[in-house]
Amino acid sequence: MTNADDKHFMQLALEEARAAAEAGEAPVGAVLVGTDGTVLAAAGNAPISERDPTAHAEIRAIREAAQKLGNYRLPGATLFVTLEPCAMCAGAISHARIARLVIAASDPKGGAVWHGPQFFEQPTCHARPEVVEGPFAEEAGRLLKDFFRARRS
């Protein structure tokens, strides 16, 4: 995939994040793309509406793609996500054998890729994706900050 592809797919993930915010969920979006460049799944955060603490954007996209493909492994796939995944999502990414992870905004408080446990660096991690700092970090971060600022006031 090219840098232009990364921008296109991250824009789709940002659309999912905006939709999540409009639904009252934390604005995080994810898009899972197959080896041929087709979108396998797109999702936003939904733990509140689904009453499911595991309904993070990444998990929802992985579940949808796995169902669509009839396989719990997604080798060669690329996951675009607007916020650095937490430990739970990093574990799911590893178990799904996702090849490439493109992240917009870092999450020093809850992230587990560049921060916290740095999940993919642990010796117990069996499958490590290529991790790429993606486009639109500022936009994704602003979306989160604006959302939580509005909730506090």
Side-chain angles (χ1 to χ4, degrees):
M1 276 187 227
T2 67
N3 195 20
D5 291 331
D6 284 1
K7 287 182 178 180
H8 169 71
F9 292 122
M10 192 61 79
Q11 281 283 13
L12 296 178
L14 281 166
E15 289 173 20
E16 293 293 330
R18 287 187 200 96
E22 288 174 18
E25 302 279 358
V28 179
V31 171
L32 195 53
V33 178
T35 55
D36 62 355
T38 60
V39 173
L40 299 173
N45 265 7
I48 297 166
S49 61
E50 292 187 8
R51 295 172 184 85
D52 178 356
T54 70
H56 289 194
E58 302 94 320
I59 301 287
R60 294 179 70 226
I62 290 168
R63 285 178 181 155
E64 182 181 330
Q67 289 298 310
K68 185 181 287 183
L69 297 176
N71 191 348
Y72 73 108
R73 304 265 195 219
L74 305 169
T78 298
L79 180 63
F80 294 85
V81 64
T82 60
L83 183 66
E84 178 182 353
C86 69
M88 173 184 69
C89 292
I93 290 163
S94 177
H95 283 281
R97 304 301 196 259
I98 290 170
R100 187 168 177 258
L101 173 62
V102 182
I103 304 167
S106 69
D107 184 1
K109 184 176 179 183
V113 176
W114 296 316
H115 298 90
Q118 298 180 351
F119 187 89
F120 301 123
E121 302 304 317
Q122 299 306 313
T124 54
C125 178
H126 297 294
R128 295 166 178 81
E130 172 192 2
V131 178
V132 177
E133 189 174 349
F136 306 113
E138 187 175 311
E139 187 174 344
R142 186 173 51 252
L143 187 61
L144 283 153
K145 286 176 187 160
D146 291 349
F147 175 82
F148 287 110
R149 184 179 305 117
R151 290 191 66 138
R152 285 190 297 271
S153 59

